[in-house]
Amino acid sequence: MSTFVEPLNIIITGVGGQGNVLASQVVSVAAAVAGYRVVVGETFGVSQRGGSVMSHVRISKDKPYGPLIPRGRAGVIAGFEPLETLRVMVNYANPDTVTIMNDRPNYPLGCLLGEDKYPDPARIEETIRKLVARVHRLPATELAKEAGSPLAANMVMTGALAGSGLLPFGREYLTATIELLFKDSVRDLNLAAFELGYRQLAG
Amino acid sequence: MGVCKEQPGVRVALTGNESIARGALEAGVAYAASYPGSPTAEVLGTLAKVAGEFNLYVEWSVNEKVAMEGAAAASFTGLRSLVVMKADGLNVALDFASALALSGTRGGMVIVVGDDPSSHSSVREEDSRNLCKALHLPIWEPSSVQEAKDMTRAAFDLSEQLKLPVVVRCVTRVCHASGDVELGELTRPERRPVFGRDDRVITFSIQLHAQLEQKLSRAAAEASDSFFNGYSGPANARRLVIASGPSAMYALEALDMLGLAGGVGVLKLGTTWPLPETLLLNYLKNASEVVFAEEVEPFVEDNVMALAAGHWNELGSIKFYGKRSGHVAGPAGAGIGELDPDVLAGSLAKIFDVPWAGQTMLTSREAEELLGEKMPGRELALCAGCPHRASFWAIRTALELDGREGVVLGDIGCYTLGIVRTGYYLLQTMHCMGAGVGIAGGLGKLNRFGFNKPVITVVGDSTFYHAAVPALINARYNRANFMCVVLDNETTAMTGHQPHPGRQTTATGGPADTVYMEEIIRGLNIPYAISDPYDVDATINAVCDMLQLSGPRVLILRRTCALAAVKGKEKNRVYVDWDKCIGDDCGCGRFCSKVFACPANIWDAEHGKARIDEAVCNGCGVCATLCPQQAIVVERTVE
């Protein structure tokens, strides 16, 4: 367990449709149940249509914070997509930021149309390693497929976040939240995905 | 569900919109109405889910004006009512709202208006406070998720006391935020609507204007003692930040980042109109430097400066910093875009002359140098399988075949993305709900001046009911010459799949008396046809055929939103048969990925073949019908 720095600033980033909002909801509900003050800054609406999305999650022992993390002050960046991970790091990372990254690209329209080139994900990872001390890359989409659906990559990433040991509360708060928010086969899928992500980082 | 938890004092995680809904439940709301709009769409959705449990009437109305009229009716009978809209929706409701302010209300009535600084999901970043001031309505602004609940609850009391609707003005960063909220007591009052023969609610007297001004004076007097205005900082601060909404939180954090927290006071205004004058004068009399932090327009700023001007002889010399002076400004300029802790830190550092270099580790350019290449941007795209993409493709192709340089006009909804690359830049106008049909009507009357291009306007199904019908009546009556394409995805998709009058269910899931758009169109004696946009060839033919007609006509392109269609279902599996895909030898120019440009159609550079990204694909199979090699295979699990 690493020491809890007040407040714990987490950025969850990805592309609209990848399930950012649900992942941040699971973390925030769990944090509240665990007795922490939590605020999540979120943008959805048109931004969910294939654009870059970002959730700011701020967890504190006892102090209310605003919904936006200041630049350079992310403690953890959970990137659901390599390019978006790097993009967020430029603005919000510092050398101590822990980065957890899904290795699966989601191609922007400009890349599909051949006008832009998607950077090699290995180069993205290499770049991120030059910037921060601790980087975890995982095949979250592949693990999600293993759990039953590539769409559950968000829960793989949530599991990885729990497995990183950075959250000030136990994984049971997160699994209980998943059980609360989902029903039947979706619940089972998300719990399985969470478990696979957790094991990637917790060993 | 957190919003209906009984235990007062317990903390649960709620979104800002859920928090507003909870506040209304704690206040004993009976009637809630709305038309969905970001950032406030989830308020009514939340109430709809608990309507049975709390014996509420909850409706998705056809538009915001009708929603407000219904909520006002409930208030006239003594019930507490809530009406929810985005800033654009207030524009729609404005005519009634201005009359309602004069007539006044009886049961507490709260108007929740969601503003969207930085236009995250809106066409404009309108600051509705200036309109609300013109309406003579009190405005409260929550700065946090907790306050969203507490203010909504208290606003019902103020409304009842003043007999005037009260506006709770929320910005996206409150509505779409979530956080732990300490719950209050739920109330389930007995409800007995009363509207006796002698009850009259009529706006026809100059006296009512005088009464309205008196109500506002009372609100101003109470505002100075309001729990929602708060101060933190040194006593008798000479340096003062006056902030409203989440900017108050940003200001506190920015001062902390600058090391100024102990020396600068922050006066957070929750009651922004009418101003809490006594409270403000009390702080202004000690201040020599005052900074304003608010979104978007300088609303508090202008009004506080006007207040100070009226009291200049008591206050002495004060230097004001804000949007008017240009000191409080984000990257886009003063009064443009939302604030955040960094924007305020930069602004406050300049004003108070302390060093601040920002805190980013590197610039985008430095990151690209490290990476050794450019970081491509990510523009908005219609979802994989979106029927609008197929519709836009068909319209575009039909216009090319037609060859008369037809023009295409737009409207508000997911299909607004027809203005950008994902919609082939097809749309040439885009303003507000229903405007495309009215503009098409105008263009459709210009033949006498030699304007002979075919005119097509696209409108969504929800927008059709909300605002397109009067323009169609006008077009029929005046014989305007255009084609209206209804992109009917059978839901209000953009805001989260709310039902509308064309659906079979109401807000609370009960059965609806469906109003079929075909019946309306038939009633207007306008010729129409229906096509499935997934059947691209048939749709191209339908557009071409209808382009040959004159007068107003309607083409309904009907196919359920791809996201709604696959929800909770197994998707069709779509894949590329690499024995058939011949890659760049095909001559199709990588049609599926580069031209049709569905985000699920990707290119496998290693093998030089097309591929489907199964994490993105929604299984519509339209690309399979367009591939010249018929190399794309659809394994159907849903129809």
Side-chain angles (χ1 to χ4, degrees):
Chain A
M1 274 286 176
S2 57
T3 48
F4 179 69
V5 184
E6 174 77 21
L8 175 61
N9 289 330
I10 305 167
I11 297 186
I12 300 174
T13 182
V15 178
Q18 284 192 310
N20 261 62
V21 174
L22 269 180
S24 65
Q25 191 188 359
V26 168
V27 176
S28 68
V29 170
V33 172
Y36 288 83
R37 304 299 303 267
V38 60
V39 63
V40 184
E42 199 98 70
T43 315
F44 47 92
V46 73
S47 50
Q48 77 188 76
R49 308 293 176 225
S52 307
V53 290
M54 200 176 17
S55 309
H56 289 198
V57 184
R58 315 188 74 183
I59 300 171
S60 160
K61 284 199 182 78
D62 49 17
K63 197 175 160 215
Y65 280 89
L68 293 176
I69 295 170
R71 304 277 164 121
R73 296 209 174 187
V76 188
I77 293 175
F80 290 11
E81 203 279 342
L83 177 62
E84 296 313 315
T85 309
L86 181 59
R87 209 193 303 280
V88 163
M89 293 198 62
V90 171
N91 284 325
Y92 291 97
N94 60 65
D96 297 323
T97 303
V98 177
T99 305
I100 306 168
M101 179 177 91
N102 180 13
D103 66 2
R104 170 74 166 258
N106 179 303
Y107 299 101
L109 207 53
C111 294
L112 294 180
L113 295 169
E115 289 169 21
D116 300 324
K117 182 180 154 291
Y118 192 96
D120 181 354
R123 298 274 304 260
I124 293 179
E125 186 189 343
E126 212 176 286
T127 307
I128 292 172
R129 286 194 187 282
K130 285 181 201 156
L131 297 172
V132 294
R134 189 173 156 195
V135 183
H136 302 278
R137 175 175 59 90
L138 69 158
T141 307
E142 293 307 313
L143 290 169
K145 274 159 75 177
E146 216 174 281
S149 164
L151 297 179
N154 60 345
M155 288 302 123
V156 175
M157 292 298 292
T158 309
L161 185 59
S164 72
L166 294 161
L167 296 176
F169 46 86
R171 56 168 281 165
E172 64 277 10
Y173 287 99
L174 294 153
T175 48
T177 304
I178 293 171
E179 284 172 19
L180 183 81
L181 293 176
F182 304 99
K183 279 187 291 199
D184 310 328
S185 62
V186 182
R187 173 189 296 172
D188 298 341
L189 166 68
N190 284 334
L191 285 171
F194 179 92
E195 184 62 33
L196 289 176
Y198 183 84
R199 270 194 250 146
Q200 281 281 310
L201 263 70
Chain B
M1 223 177 148
V3 284
C4 31
K5 267 218 165 72
E6 291 288 350
Q7 308 100 300
V10 88
R11 288 188 167 277
V12 299
L14 299 179
T15 67
N17 285 336
E18 287 172 338
S19 192
I20 292 166
R22 169 74 188 202
L25 290 173
E26 289 182 6
V29 70
Y31 187 113
S34 177
Y35 181 83
S38 282
T40 47
E42 296 76 20
V43 177
L44 195 101
T46 302
L47 289 173
K49 280 185 209 148
V50 302
E53 192 179 336
F54 287 87
N55 185 28
L56 315 177
Y57 176 72
V58 179
E59 77 167 33
W60 286 119
S61 311
V62 71
N63 65 36
E64 294 84 353
K65 179 169 177 280
V66 174
M68 194 183 283
E69 288 157 353
S75 167
F76 297 158
T77 71
L79 298 178
R80 288 191 159 188
S81 69
L82 179 75
V83 60
V84 187
M85 59 200 64
K86 70 183 296 180
D88 313 56
L90 181 65
N91 298 343
V92 174
L94 207 58
D95 197 10
F96 179 69
S98 70
L100 183 63
L102 281 174
S103 82
T105 47
R106 231 179 99 214
M109 178 170 170
V110 173
I111 303 173
V112 172
V113 181
D115 283 1
D116 190 16
S118 282
S119 298
H120 292 290
S121 49
S122 313
V123 298
R124 58 189 143 220
E125 56 168 6
E126 188 171 301
D127 188 332
S128 60
R129 295 177 301 175
N130 284 307
L131 284 184
C132 295
K133 182 187 173 188
L135 293 170
H136 295 67
L137 296 180
I139 307 164
W140 285 2
E141 284 185 71
S143 64
S144 67
V145 177
Q146 176 78 51
E147 269 193 349
K149 177 187 81 66
D150 296 339
M151 276 191 182
T152 305
R153 180 185 179 133
F156 281 97
D157 295 333
L158 178 68
S159 167
E160 231 151 67
Q161 195 188 326
L162 297 175
K163 307 224 171 296
L164 188 66
V166 173
V167 175
V168 175
R169 184 258 190 175
C170 292
V171 293
T172 303
R173 295 295 179 191
V174 170
C175 292
H176 285 185
S178 56
D180 56 289
V181 173
E182 187 179 332
L183 301 180
E185 193 111 29
L186 287 167
T187 52
R188 288 181 168 82
E190 207 178 312
R191 288 160 184 145
R192 206 166 289 139
V194 176
F195 201 66
R197 184 63 195 87
D198 297 330
D199 285 324
R200 287 161 73 82
V201 193
I202 287 166
T203 57
F204 182 64
S205 161
I206 191 91
Q207 278 311 314
L208 290 174
H209 185 187
Q211 280 174 26
L212 183 51
E213 299 293 354
Q214 284 160 13
K215 289 177 180 180
L216 278 180
S217 300
R218 277 166 56 203
E222 298 224 348
S224 285
D225 300 323
S226 170
F227 172 73
F228 297 118
N229 301 319
Y231 175 79
S232 66
N236 307 325
R238 296 187 63 75
R239 292 169 158 189
L240 182 68
V241 178
I242 299 178
S244 72
S247 300
M249 306 290 277
Y250 306 152
L252 288 168
E253 190 155 7
L255 289 170
D256 205 32
M257 278 152 56
L258 295 172
L260 291 173
V264 180
V266 176
L267 180 60
K268 178 187 80 75
L269 293 193
T271 67
T272 42
W273 190 258
L275 288 179
E277 295 190 357
T278 312
L279 177 82
L280 278 161
L281 291 170
N282 196 30
Y283 284 97
L284 289 174
K285 73 174 192 281
N286 296 310
S288 55
E289 291 179 285
V290 172
V291 184
F292 295 98
E294 61 182 318
E295 295 167 320
V296 181
E297 309 276 349
F299 177 81
V300 171
E301 181 175 337
D302 284 353
N303 289 305
V304 169
M305 288 200 292
L307 174 73
H311 293 265
W312 65 274
N313 53 344
E314 307 146 42
L315 295 179
S317 164
I318 302 175
K319 200 148 185 353
F320 290 106
Y321 300 95
K323 287 163 178 154
R324 294 293 174 203
S325 71
H327 285 86
V328 177
I336 316 291
E338 64 181 1
L339 301 181
D340 62 31
D342 299 289
V343 168
L344 280 178
S347 303
L348 290 166
K350 255 186 251 161
I351 293 164
F352 295 134
D353 196 22
V354 292
W356 177 250
Q359 299 191 100
T360 54
M361 190 165 40
L362 73 174
T363 63
S364 292
R365 184 181 298 171
E366 286 161 348
E368 288 180 341
E369 275 168 21
L370 269 181
L371 181 66
E373 55 190 304
K374 274 187 75 72
M375 284 193 287
R378 195 178 289 276
E379 58 200 295
L380 298 175
L382 294 165
C383 305
C386 178
H388 299 333
R389 179 180 293 100
S391 294
F392 285 148
W393 180 258
I395 293 169
R396 172 186 151 151
T397 308
L399 284 174
E400 273 172 23
L401 292 169
D402 179 81
R404 286 178 291 168
E405 289 189 333
V407 300
V408 188
L409 314 180
D411 223 291
I412 303 293
C414 292
Y415 53 94
T416 296
L417 294 185
I419 63 174
V420 292
R421 181 149 64 175
T422 190
Y424 317 116
Y425 301 109
L426 205 57
L427 305 183
Q428 293 173 261
T429 67
M430 192 269 289
H431 295 82
C432 64
M433 296 286 282
V437 188
I439 296 170
L443 285 179
K445 291 306 296 180
L446 301 182
N447 301 51
R448 71 173 64 204
F449 305 116
F451 185 84
N452 289 319
K453 292 181 176 189
V455 176
I456 295 179
T457 186
V458 298
V459 64
D461 41 334
S462 197
T463 311
F464 175 89
Y465 296 100
H466 179 289
V469 175
L472 283 175
I473 295 171
N474 188 62
R476 171 74 286 164
Y477 171 61
N478 289 301
R479 296 185 179 173
N481 186 25
F482 69 90
M483 169 174 166
C484 174
V485 176
V486 184
L487 301 172
D488 181 4
N489 59 6
E490 306 190 301
T491 186
T492 317
M494 178 103 270
T495 45
H497 300 119
Q498 294 83 4
H500 57 62
R503 305 305 304 148
Q504 283 73 36
T505 53
T506 63
T508 48
D513 279 345
T514 309
V515 181
Y516 293 98
M517 65 176 74
E518 294 93 314
E519 288 182 2
I520 295 175
I521 298 161
R522 263 202 302 272
L524 298 176
N525 197 22
I526 291 177
Y528 73 95
I530 302 173
S531 183
D532 174 2
Y534 279 2
D535 189 342
V536 177
D537 284 343
T539 301
I540 292 169
N541 286 335
V543 177
C544 284
D545 288 350
M546 208 167 248
L547 280 171
Q548 303 307 312
L549 307 179
S550 62
R553 61 269 195 207
V554 175
L555 176 63
I556 300 168
L557 297 183
R558 180 170 291 151
R559 171 57 74 161
T560 307
C561 166
L563 299 184
V566 299
K567 199 159 193 182
K569 291 187 198 129
E570 188 131 341
K571 295 177 190 176
N572 293 330
R573 180 172 170 250
V574 182
Y575 64 94
V576 178
D577 180 348
W578 278 3
D579 291 336
K580 287 188 180 166
C581 176
I582 50 176
D584 283 337
D585 294 336
C586 178
C588 71
R590 301 187 197 168
F591 179 85
C592 57
S593 58
K594 267 190 171 177
V595 185
F596 188 57
C598 172
N601 290 97
I602 58 178
W603 179 253
D604 191 313
E606 199 185 321
H607 299 89
K609 307 250 185 204
R611 204 153 63 79
I612 306 290
D613 185 341
E614 80 274 278
V616 177
C617 179
N618 282 314
C620 74
V622 171
C623 59
T625 70
L626 296 171
C627 170
Q629 288 293 322
Q630 290 161 336
I632 304 175
V633 184
V634 185
E635 280 177 13
R636 293 204 177 271
T637 56
V638 285
E639 188 34 68

